[in-house]
Amino acid sequence: MNADDLVAIDFHTHAEEPCCGPRDDGYDEFQAGMAAYFKNPVGAKGMLPTVQQTAAYFRERRIGAVIFPVDAERETGFRRYSNEEVARIAAENSDILIPFASIDPAKGRAGAREARRLVREFGVRGFKFHPTMQGFRPNDRMAYPLYEAIAEEGAIALFHSGQTGVGSGMRGGMGMRLKYSNPMHVDDVAVDFPDMPIVLAHPSFPWTEEGLSVAQHKPNVYIDMSGWSPKYFPPIFVQYANTILKRKMLFGSDWPAITPDRWLADFETIAVREEVRPLILKENARRLLKI
């Protein structure tokens, strides 16, 4: 990847489709709920992009993309997209895709071994956690063997934070418990793993100020701005992005739920300082990813 040729780096894109055959029972309903929440047709049959299609879309726009699956098999019953397959396709499109992986922390030491292998053999740069979908608090000690592996391998930990579109409006929220994604739980992880880069995904609503406080207080914590149209960002979020967190904010779309086209168009309309925009769109991610 030649970052000089890119106009931006999107720190939050999803590899969505199951890789092992047809969709699992309930997956269509799950995706229909997501489409209704984000007001787009993505999720209908044939409407979720493959990783190859994602690469083509981002290459056309000269936007680099961090891409990952989400391992939530234990809680949702949906098979995960193979970490190895995502990493292999990303390697074939290394001019534009940066592979992250996802491992349910409940897998314990087996998960830790998988993480080390993915970094060493597949070039995975980081790991995505979704506390609400995976049903755990980030500061639960059962996750620490996996964190230890990630930290020792020099990889990045990316945590979903705040409310989620997953299950929104569905009966019982599809079993998703929002409490797990309070970013204050990640504060403990930042204390216990001070040299592991940590990214809080999204503006952390309704705990936006908690997320900002963790990122301000802990040198190893960043925030990606994905999952929301920028026009809905709370004023305090924009204020911090313009000032004390201007070097710790990262552009992220939440593709395919939100497209970079939509996110970037709305970003142009909010009061972010001109000198800060390049930091958010590319330079902060470039520094964090060391590219």
Side-chain angles (χ1 to χ4, degrees):
M1 177 176 291
N2 184 351
D4 289 336
D5 290 340
L6 301 176
V7 298
I9 297 173
D10 187 334
F11 219 90
H12 200 110
T13 74
H14 288 266
E16 287 281 6
E17 285 284 28
C19 65
C20 309
R23 291 179 171 187
D24 295 317
D25 293 343
Y27 196 78
D28 287 341
E29 182 184 1
F30 157 61
Q31 287 293 347
M34 290 279 285
Y37 179 83
F38 287 105
K39 296 181 174 59
N40 68 32
V42 168
K45 286 185 178 179
M47 292 298 292
L48 278 176
T50 66
V51 178
Q52 290 283 15
Q53 288 169 335
T54 297
Y57 176 97
F58 279 83
R59 184 177 292 113
E60 182 180 337
R61 289 155 178 78
R62 294 171 52 214
I63 299 174
V66 169
I67 190 164
F68 45 76
V70 177
D71 179 0
E73 293 176 324
R74 177 174 57 91
E75 286 292 304
T76 66
F78 301 144
R79 290 164 293 177
R80 69 173 175 175
Y81 200 136
S82 163
N83 286 316
E84 291 85 351
E85 180 170 326
V86 174
R88 278 194 292 266
I89 300 172
E92 295 168 1
N93 295 275
S94 60
D95 61 313
I96 214 73
L97 296 182
I98 302 158
F100 276 33
S102 183
I103 299 171
D104 185 339
K107 292 176 178 173
R109 297 195 181 281
R113 290 198 301 273
E114 180 182 357
R116 293 185 190 280
R117 179 174 57 82
L118 288 168
V119 173
R120 296 175 185 180
E121 298 180 16
F122 289 86
V124 164
R125 303 292 307 278
F127 293 82
K128 165 66 184 287
F129 296 95
H130 198 306
T132 293
M133 287 191 76
Q134 293 172 322
F136 81 108
R137 288 183 174 85
N139 55 2
D140 190 325
R141 289 282 168 166
M142 67 91 171
Y144 275 41
L146 181 52
Y147 299 157
E148 288 167 3
I150 293 170
E152 289 170 8
E153 296 299 326
I156 298 166
L158 171 67
F159 289 88
H160 169 91
S161 69
Q163 183 178 330
T164 178
V166 179
S168 181
M170 298 178 70
R171 184 172 180 269
M174 212 181 93
M176 304 292 163
R177 301 180 189 273
L178 301 180
K179 64 184 179 182
Y180 293 129
S181 291
N182 187 325
M184 199 54 70
H185 301 317
V186 180
D187 187 64
D188 289 334
V189 182
V191 170
D192 295 332
F193 297 91
D195 299 317
M196 179 175 70
I198 294 171
V199 178
L200 295 173
H202 319 311
S204 303
F205 176 83
W207 304 290
T208 299
E209 293 184 11
E210 283 93 329
L212 294 171
S213 72
V214 174
Q216 186 279 321
H217 193 259
K218 301 300 186 293
N220 57 322
V221 177
Y222 298 73
I223 294 175
D224 90 39
M225 304 167 82
S226 68
W228 282 44
S229 162
K231 66 184 179 182
Y232 295 119
F233 287 163
I236 193 171
F237 192 74
V238 177
Q239 179 183 352
Y240 272 65
N242 268 327
T243 54
I244 57 178
L245 293 183
K246 65 183 180 181
R247 299 191 183 279
K248 303 186 82 176
M249 290 285 190
L250 307 163
F251 157 47
S253 65
D254 216 357
W255 165 272
I258 296 176
T259 66
D261 288 353
R262 176 187 174 190
W263 195 98
L264 291 169
D266 289 346
F267 186 62
E268 287 295 320
T269 69
I270 65 172
V272 172
R273 297 172 181 171
E274 287 305 312
E275 67 271 20
V276 173
R277 289 180 183 274
L279 300 177
I280 292 173
L281 292 178
K282 183 171 76 170
E283 297 307 323
N284 293 339
R286 185 176 186 177
R287 187 177 68 255
L288 179 57
L289 291 163
K290 299 177 182 177
I291 57 175

